[in-house]
Amino acid sequence: MYKKIMQEAINQDKLAIFIGSGVSKNSNLPDWGELIESLKKELNINETDYLKIAQLYYLAVGEVTYFQNIRRYFDIKSEPNSIHKYIFDLKPKYIITTNWDTLLEQYTNTIFTKYKVVSSDKDLVSSNIDKMIIKMHGDFNSEKFVFKEDDYINYSKNFPLIENFIKSILSTHTIIFIGYSYSDINLKYIFNWIQNNSSLQPPMFYFTFDKNEYQEKYLQNFKITTIVIPEYDKKGDYKYRLERFLDELNGFVNKKEVIQIVGNTDINDIKTVENILNFIYDNLKILEKQNFILKEQISELLKECNFEYHNKQTFLYFYKDELTYGYHKSSKGYRKIYNLFLEFLLKKEEIFKCADDSDVKKIEKILNKIFFILINADINGIIVKKELNKFWPYEISSKCNKTNFVKFKSLFQDDFGLLESNETILDFQYNIFSLYHQREYKKAYSLNKKLLTKCFENDDYLNLLFAFFNHNELIWKIKNNVIYDEKFKNDVSETWAYSLEKYDIEEKFFELPLEIRKQLKALKKVLTFDFLNDLYIKIDNEYQKKKEQEKNIRDDKGGFLDSNVDRFYIWQKELVLFYLRNMLLIDTNFRYRQIHKKLLEIELIRGLTFKEIKFDTYQLYAYIHFIDKKEFKNLFIKFVNDDMYKSKLIIDIKIQNWLFKLLENNYKLYKNTKTSFNFNKNDELSNIIFLFSIIKIDDVIKKQLIEQFIKMIEEYNANLDLYESIGEFFSIQYKLFNLEIDAKNINKFYSMIIEKLLKYLNMQEINVWFHRAFESGYFDISYTIKEEVFDNLELVRKFIDKISNLNETEQIKISLSFLFGLYKISKNKTKEIIKKYLINLHNIVERIDIKLHLFILYVLNEILEFDLQTLKKDLEKYKQYLLNNNEFFYFGTIKYNLSNLIKKFNIDDKEILEINQKLHDINLDKDMKGMFFI
């Protein structure tokens, strides 16, 4: 029992060891009794009171001689002994000694471990190191040391700070006494301090070689437990006994000989099984509160293990005989325990048959706790047997339910509704995460401050670190938005924003208890971005290999691209779940986003050799959220215009439904945000829409999408990027899959666009982005329907009346970007009124390039009749126009449509054919002036 208490004290950095003269005696220095006997002999007295003897000696020889003789008595060449090593191996925070020698300091110099030596109050005041060697009786280097009766009487006066400091240690630390006899006068003074101190006392242990029932009861009176050091068949060899005892103690508390913790190694013994499972669980249990766990955290805590990846699943593998990097003294013990654990998993049913029901329930409970932690690290099984490239796993996914926090599902759909209360830490985290995504940064910051307090008060160090991280990210958002976002400035003062200070996570981490730091070392690497930087280097190395393979394939040299697929997928899934389930505000981190971009690039390179590429929701979530829209489009556009790219992007109906839900929720967030500085949501919306544009969509979802786009354009004044994305969706879907829209939605779409434009022209709704999108042709989707279906005469008449009052340039823009397409799908009198307007516009236009463009376009679409002479006349004028102007606004369209006109009407006129050829020979990248028609 005492070993576990000491282990816990070491883990919490709360161990203090008092060292008496018995330890120094093993380095050939005299102990207390030997020194007193020497003084008695010199004084020739029979006194038994040690303190009085020292006092009498001082009075007999005087102060100078007294100090000289005592120093001379200890002027013996001595070196630290092996017991010093075992004491320091226990990693005590404080070593308190009544000895005057320098053996402890000498030993710290050999192991390069920094302890502050305190032998006077002055040393204590100037100390800037946590770990200390406190020489409570001073030493020969200080102004005074404690030995005679007056020294003890005046101790409080001469060492007031040291006395109070030691008393505080006695109240707060687990204490061990080593090297003191039962009769040691120093112990009595320390016991007196203990008795007069607080009634609340931490555990204290007195190590002795001899069992003495009466002395033990005496120590119990001070709440001190006596530990008798075993004889080990060498009763008289005190040094050997103490060394071996301390070595065994070290093996337990520092887990150097972990197999001792298990005891009996018979796996059929249910107690052995319980010990093994408790050992594994004790190592992992700090992660129970973490909603998703990185595999690196698991391997850091368990040690002597690794992971195998197969079919996009992860399996935990415990090392057996392999020589691995980092193999050390404790590795053998760990491996022995894990081999016993694997043996138990293989024989579990057989073992349970022979055990009591109560024992089975107890074992199942511990096992499920272990499985729960492993499942939250997305580990699917434990490898119980392995041969060459084959392995046999013990599946755990079905053995234990995953976390039932239902809100994780809504987070994965970007549904950020708030919970009504903040009762639990999980509630706090969810609401902070939701407020962040709603762009309510100030509210999120305030709530996170409360969470910091809650975690701190509950000693929840793991979630405290998460809250520190989110605190820093929220401050970055607040300061960034107060600079760039006018709306945000209305709610947040710049003075307050700039007064906010970030926490140094590295510094905060090292303020945690020692054992917590050990357990959360891997998490610290994530929160300080060391983990992400290391992972990026690994992924980038793989990416460079894939790029070389891609080059070989494109150069027709062959190549194989399917290595490490499982690992790439698992890395990405792990990062997404770590971000979402722990509700970390890491989405804008540059390195985090870079990793996801590289992983997408690797996946897309594989598309050169596969007929299909399929992404699941974890991958798509990462690509949509963590790659900006420009890069996203540049990467995925290869599905549209890369001739060597043979793959088709396949997304099943279930994932399409999830994508549509994601679109709806991101639109709500985008629409309801209170800040104008909202680029991320804009990126996410654009990415979702572009993704839909390049896949074959289920008919039901396609109809929902079109209705959603109509709703988005109708009810919200979006920005140009969003309008462009919607326009591209129709265009690419038509190109790849011959998209057709039903008459009902066509009528609804065009009526809505006309009404919005009328509001804009009447100054009822000012949206410059909508007008820009309109002029850019994003709302012309006439190519998606073959029939003439649009019929809204009154609305069109109102629209034409309005635009007829605009200047010529505006009318041309509206006609070419929208009205001409509307004409093609209109019917009855609606078509006639549009035709009449378009012809009239052609008649009043004076610029020859526009006139020619309209003429060819109208003839091709039977608005005007074909007239060869008119065409020749306009082409001649256009030739002169090109010679005298550097403007080529409609050059490409005229060139393209003229070729179509020649084909349609079988034109064989030599002049027209010659002009057509020369138009196709022109390179607009060069200066055309003086070169045209030479």
Side-chain angles (χ1 to χ4, degrees):
M1 184 67 179
Y2 72 91
K3 290 182 180 180
K4 285 199 171 184
I5 293 171
M6 290 179 198
Q7 184 183 54
E8 190 175 334
I10 292 169
N11 292 342
Q12 295 176 356
D13 208 13
K14 291 277 188 181
L15 181 67
I17 300 177
F18 280 78
I19 294 178
S21 61
V23 173
S24 296
K25 183 175 174 64
N26 287 290
S27 292
N28 298 318
L29 290 177
D31 63 13
W32 179 275
E34 290 171 339
L35 174 58
I36 292 295
E37 286 302 318
S38 173
L39 299 183
K40 276 176 65 177
K41 189 175 180 182
E42 193 172 334
L43 291 172
N44 195 21
I45 58 173
N46 254 343
E47 182 62 52
T48 57
D49 185 336
Y50 281 13
L51 299 186
K52 188 174 179 182
I53 293 167
Q55 187 70 39
L56 289 171
Y57 185 76
Y58 173 82
L59 295 171
V61 300
E63 183 176 7
V64 175
T65 304
Y66 168 81
F67 282 119
Q68 287 175 345
N69 289 348
I70 299 295
R71 282 194 185 97
R72 190 181 303 117
Y73 195 84
F74 283 90
D75 190 15
I76 301 169
K77 187 176 181 181
S78 59
E79 293 181 355
N81 60 71
S82 55
I83 294 170
H84 290 100
K85 172 191 179 302
Y86 294 119
I87 288 171
F88 278 96
D89 280 350
L90 289 171
K91 301 180 181 68
K93 185 169 186 178
Y94 302 114
I95 296 176
I96 304 160
T97 182
T98 48
N99 301 336
W100 304 315
D101 58 68
T102 60
L103 293 172
L104 291 167
E105 301 96 297
Q106 288 178 52
Y107 186 74
T108 59
N109 292 334
T110 66
I111 59 172
F112 303 104
T113 301
K114 202 73 175 172
Y115 275 77
K116 171 70 177 177
V117 178
V118 174
S119 58
S120 67
D121 281 6
K122 183 173 70 176
D123 296 331
L124 190 61
V125 170
S126 63
S127 176
N128 58 358
I129 300 172
D130 283 345
K131 291 180 178 291
M132 296 183 194
I133 295 170
I134 302 171
K135 305 179 87 168
M136 62 180 290
H137 284 179
D139 62 16
F140 298 133
N141 296 321
S142 61
E143 296 174 2
K144 43 188 173 287
F145 57 86
V146 176
F147 182 44
K148 60 188 189 300
E149 190 174 55
D150 281 354
D151 297 333
Y152 283 88
I153 292 170
N154 296 319
Y155 188 85
S156 296
K157 178 182 174 184
N158 293 331
F159 296 90
L161 295 183
I162 287 181
E163 179 180 337
N164 286 323
F165 190 65
I166 292 173
K167 285 178 179 177
S168 73
I169 293 171
L170 291 168
S171 300
T172 55
H173 287 65
T174 297
I175 305 295
I176 298 174
F177 296 98
I178 301 177
Y180 293 98
S181 67
Y182 283 121
S183 59
D184 197 309
I185 189 69
N186 294 310
L187 273 187
K188 292 179 181 177
Y189 275 87
I190 294 169
F191 292 166
N192 185 51
W193 286 353
I194 293 170
Q195 197 168 40
N196 294 327
N197 218 350
S198 168
S199 58
L200 295 173
Q201 182 180 306
M204 296 187 179
F205 302 96
Y206 172 77
F207 291 176
T208 182
F209 294 101
D210 303 310
K211 187 170 180 61
N212 185 316
E213 184 180 342
Y214 300 108
Q215 293 286 6
E216 286 179 25
K217 285 183 179 179
Y218 173 75
L219 292 175
Q220 280 176 8
N221 188 47
F222 299 99
K223 299 179 183 176
I224 297 171
T225 303
T226 302
I227 306 296
V228 179
I229 297 168
E231 293 182 2
Y232 302 114
D233 299 325
K234 291 191 178 183
K235 185 176 180 181
D237 192 340
Y238 296 123
K239 183 173 183 288
Y240 170 82
R241 287 170 64 188
L242 183 56
E243 284 175 351
R244 182 166 171 182
F245 175 73
L246 290 175
D247 187 35
E248 288 179 0
L249 182 60
N250 263 298
F252 183 93
V253 298
N254 291 317
K255 299 180 182 177
K256 289 180 180 174
E257 298 295 341
V258 291
I259 199 65
Q260 293 179 13
I261 297 167
V262 175
N264 179 15
T265 57
D266 180 8
I267 201 63
N268 294 303
D269 179 1
I270 203 74
K271 186 64 182 173
T272 301
V273 173
E274 185 182 349
N275 288 341
I276 290 168
L277 295 183
N278 275 326
F279 172 79
I280 294 171
Y281 172 65
D282 286 344
N283 280 306
L284 292 174
K285 67 182 176 183
I286 193 169
L287 302 178
E288 274 183 319
K289 293 180 180 179
Q290 192 169 325
N291 302 319
F292 185 82
I293 300 158
L294 292 174
K295 292 168 187 64
E296 184 162 317
Q297 291 177 268
I298 298 291
S299 60
E300 182 79 43
L301 291 174
L302 287 181
K303 308 183 188 333
E304 301 306 317
C305 66
N306 207 337
F307 302 99
E308 296 279 348
Y309 306 109
H310 183 66
N311 288 337
K312 295 186 175 181
Q313 291 187 313
T314 304
F315 299 94
L316 178 62
Y317 172 68
F318 291 110
Y319 295 133
K320 293 182 180 176
D321 303 321
E322 300 93 328
L323 183 61
T324 56
Y325 177 78
Y327 187 90
H328 53 90
K329 184 178 177 181
S330 65
S331 297
K332 186 176 178 181
Y334 275 97
R335 292 185 183 192
K336 179 68 176 174
I337 286 177
Y338 294 146
N339 282 333
L340 290 170
F341 174 57
L342 298 179
E343 188 181 344
F344 160 70
L345 292 178
L346 286 168
K347 297 170 65 176
K348 183 164 79 80
E349 300 306 322
E350 181 185 331
I351 292 168
F352 280 180
K353 280 181 185 176
C354 304
D356 293 338
D357 287 346
S358 60
D359 287 333
V360 170
K361 286 179 182 177
K362 191 189 298 182
I363 296 300
E364 287 280 19
K365 186 177 179 181
I366 306 169
L367 193 60
N368 281 337
K369 286 180 178 181
I370 294 169
F371 287 165
F372 177 82
I373 293 168
L374 296 181
I375 287 169
N376 273 346
D378 200 35
I379 294 169
N380 303 94
I382 299 167
I383 296 173
V384 291
K385 186 180 176 184
K386 186 178 179 183
E387 292 177 4
L388 297 175
N389 293 324
K390 284 185 176 182
F391 62 82
W392 290 261
Y394 181 90
E395 301 285 346
I396 64 172
S397 56
S398 60
K399 310 293 177 184
C400 178
N401 292 327
K402 293 187 181 182
T403 179
N404 60 357
F405 186 59
V406 294
K407 281 295 178 182
F408 287 142
K409 185 178 179 181
S410 64
L411 290 181
F412 198 57
Q413 295 175 337
D414 288 351
D415 181 8
F416 300 110
L418 293 174
L419 301 175
E420 291 182 3
S421 67
N422 289 308
E423 292 181 8
T424 67
I425 285 174
L426 204 55
D427 293 341
F428 269 97
Q429 290 171 329
Y430 179 82
N431 282 338
I432 291 162
F433 198 68
S434 293
L435 286 167
Y436 171 83
H437 285 282
Q438 292 173 15
R439 300 324 191 238
E440 294 280 5
Y441 301 128
K442 187 177 180 181
K443 289 181 182 178
Y445 173 83
S446 299
L447 196 57
N448 195 69
K449 289 289 281 185
K450 293 178 182 177
L451 176 59
L452 282 167
T453 303
K454 190 177 182 74
C455 292
F456 184 77
E457 289 174 348
N458 294 335
D459 292 339
D460 188 344
Y461 301 114
L462 186 145
N463 284 309
L464 182 66
L465 288 175
F466 283 142
F468 281 139
F469 181 90
N470 284 349
H471 170 91
N472 291 350
E473 294 305 304
L474 283 165
I475 288 178
W476 183 86
K477 279 288 186 183
I478 288 168
K479 290 184 176 181
N480 214 33
N481 275 263
V482 89
I483 296 170
Y484 296 107
D485 190 344
E486 291 301 325
K487 289 184 183 178
F488 192 73
K489 287 181 185 178
N490 295 333
D491 297 327
V492 176
S493 78
E494 288 189 42
T495 305
W496 176 77
Y498 288 122
S499 71
L500 302 177
E501 292 185 2
K502 292 184 176 184
Y503 291 111
D504 185 327
I505 292 180
E506 191 102 31
E507 188 178 288
K508 288 295 177 186
F509 177 79
F510 283 103
E511 290 174 3
L512 302 179
L514 176 64
E515 181 63 13
I516 300 297
R517 297 204 304 269
K518 287 180 185 176
Q519 293 170 340
L520 297 180
K521 188 163 69 172
L523 180 62
K524 192 264 292 185
K525 283 180 67 180
V526 179
L527 300 183
T528 55
F529 305 118
D530 292 341
F531 170 80
L532 292 180
N533 290 331
D534 292 345
L535 182 59
Y536 176 79
I537 291 169
K538 288 181 193 173
I539 292 171
D540 189 55
N541 288 336
E542 293 289 344
Y543 170 72
Q544 298 305 329
K545 294 176 190 175
K546 293 291 181 289
K547 285 298 287 182
E548 187 62 33
Q549 291 170 343
E550 178 189 24
K551 184 177 182 299
N552 290 337
I553 291 169
R554 288 187 180 275
D555 293 343
D556 223 7
K557 295 179 182 177
F560 182 70
L561 289 167
D562 207 28
S563 61
N564 293 325
V565 176
D566 290 327
R567 188 180 303 172
F568 296 146
Y569 170 80
I570 286 161
W571 281 343
Q572 188 143 44
K573 182 181 178 184
E574 185 177 45
L575 286 177
V576 168
L577 289 174
F578 185 80
Y579 154 76
L580 264 182
R581 297 265 294 274
N582 294 311
M583 291 163 281
L584 278 184
L585 311 182
I586 200 172
D587 55 311
T588 57
N589 178 264
F590 175 70
R591 187 62 82 201
Y592 186 78
R593 295 173 75 88
Q594 268 192 318
I595 287 171
H596 290 297
K597 179 174 174 279
K598 288 285 183 189
L599 288 170
L600 172 58
E601 289 179 294
I602 289 170
E603 283 294 314
L604 292 178
I605 290 171
R606 294 178 59 240
L608 288 167
T609 55
F610 292 88
K611 290 182 179 179
E612 294 180 352
I613 284 188
K614 293 183 179 181
F615 295 127
D616 73 1
T617 49
Y618 300 110
Q619 291 169 299
L620 292 175
Y621 185 94
Y623 306 149
I624 288 165
H625 289 79
F626 309 126
I627 301 176
D628 73 60
K629 61 179 177 289
K630 186 176 179 182
E631 291 177 327
F632 186 92
K633 191 183 295 185
N634 287 340
L635 289 168
F636 275 105
I637 200 70
K638 55 171 49 73
F639 286 106
V640 182
N641 60 14
D642 187 339
D643 292 336
M644 284 199 68
Y645 208 73
K646 308 300 182 187
S647 280
K648 287 184 179 178
L649 180 58
I650 307 297
I651 296 178
D652 65 37
I653 295 174
K654 185 179 178 182
I655 297 178
Q656 288 184 32
N657 275 309
W658 169 76
L659 275 173
F660 182 73
K661 191 68 181 173
L662 207 60
L663 176 73
E664 284 186 311
N665 289 334
N666 271 279
Y667 171 61
K668 285 177 193 172
L669 281 169
Y670 184 81
K671 186 176 70 169
N672 297 329
T673 184
K674 290 187 177 180
T675 69
S676 55
F677 191 58
N678 196 17
F679 296 146
N680 275 30
K681 286 297 144 204
N682 185 22
D683 277 10
E684 288 154 16
L685 270 175
S686 296
N687 290 349
I688 297 167
I689 295 168
F690 189 79
L691 195 59
F692 268 124
S693 72
I694 60 175
I695 64 171
K696 189 165 181 58
I697 309 169
D698 172 71
D699 289 340
V700 174
I701 298 172
K702 190 191 300 176
K703 186 178 178 183
Q704 291 174 330
L705 265 175
I706 291 165
E707 290 171 354
Q708 178 68 21
F709 292 151
I710 292 171
K711 177 184 175 185
M712 288 163 71
I713 296 170
E714 182 177 20
E715 72 179 18
Y716 185 61
N717 294 331
N719 63 31
L720 187 62
D721 289 335
L722 190 54
Y723 292 136
E724 181 183 7
S725 297
I726 294 171
E728 279 183 338
F729 167 83
F730 291 119
S731 175
I732 296 173
Q733 274 286 308
Y734 179 74
K735 177 182 177 180
L736 295 180
F737 308 106
N738 200 26
L739 172 68
E740 291 185 15
I741 301 177
D742 61 89
K744 180 184 174 184
N745 275 320
I746 283 288
N747 273 280
K748 187 176 180 182
F749 180 85
Y750 275 95
S751 295
M752 178 267 296
I753 295 295
I754 293 169
E755 285 170 355
K756 277 189 78 75
L757 193 60
L758 281 170
K759 285 180 181 178
Y760 175 78
L761 295 172
N762 290 323
M763 304 297 285
Q764 293 173 321
E765 186 179 278
I766 306 300
N767 183 355
V768 176
W769 298 124
F770 175 82
H771 189 239
R772 288 270 302 275
F774 183 87
E775 289 182 342
S776 300
Y778 298 148
F779 303 138
D780 179 11
I781 60 170
S782 56
Y783 48 83
T784 62
I785 192 162
K786 303 292 187 290
E787 302 88 17
E788 296 178 345
V789 297
F790 186 76
D791 192 12
N792 194 333
L793 181 61
E794 290 307 312
L795 183 61
V796 170
R797 181 179 283 127
K798 193 188 297 183
F799 180 60
I800 287 174
D801 286 347
K802 188 67 182 178
I803 63 175
S804 296
N805 296 320
L806 299 175
N807 62 47
E808 182 183 301
T809 304
E810 286 297 316
Q811 289 190 60
I812 290 166
K813 285 180 181 178
I814 291 171
S815 298
L816 291 174
S817 63
F818 181 76
L819 207 51
F820 181 74
L822 183 61
Y823 164 79
K824 290 193 288 186
I825 62 168
S826 295
K827 63 181 181 178
N828 304 329
K829 290 183 179 180
T830 303
K831 192 176 191 76
E832 288 303 315
I833 194 173
I834 297 173
K835 180 177 179 179
K836 183 179 177 181
Y837 170 79
L838 290 174
I839 292 170
N840 183 59
L841 181 63
H842 171 261
N843 293 335
I844 64 171
V845 168
E846 294 183 357
R847 259 183 59 170
I848 187 59
D849 57 338
I850 300 172
K851 199 170 190 71
L852 177 62
H853 174 45
L854 291 178
F855 175 77
I856 297 172
L857 200 61
Y858 288 4
V859 170
L860 283 171
N861 290 277
E862 299 175 1
I863 296 172
L864 290 174
E865 292 183 3
F866 174 65
D867 180 69
L868 184 62
Q869 294 308 313
T870 303
L871 178 61
K872 288 177 73 172
K873 183 177 68 175
D874 285 351
L875 279 172
E876 183 60 34
K877 288 180 181 177
Y878 185 53
K879 181 172 75 171
Q880 295 303 317
Y881 174 82
L882 288 175
L883 282 168
N884 296 311
N885 294 276
N886 275 326
E887 295 178 354
F888 302 94
F889 290 115
Y890 297 101
F891 178 83
T893 336
I894 291 171
K895 179 171 68 173
Y896 175 77
N897 285 334
L898 179 60
S899 295
N900 289 337
L901 192 70
I902 290 168
K903 288 178 186 175
K904 182 171 182 176
F905 292 98
N906 296 316
I907 298 171
D908 58 2
D909 184 272
K910 186 178 178 182
E911 290 181 35
I912 292 176
L913 293 175
E914 186 180 338
I915 291 173
N916 182 57
Q917 184 57 50
K918 288 189 176 181
L919 287 174
H920 282 275
D921 291 341
I922 291 174
N923 181 358
L924 285 182
D925 293 332
K926 297 179 180 178
D927 183 10
M928 300 308 306
K929 196 94 173 186
M931 295 175 62
F932 190 62
F933 291 2
I934 296 174

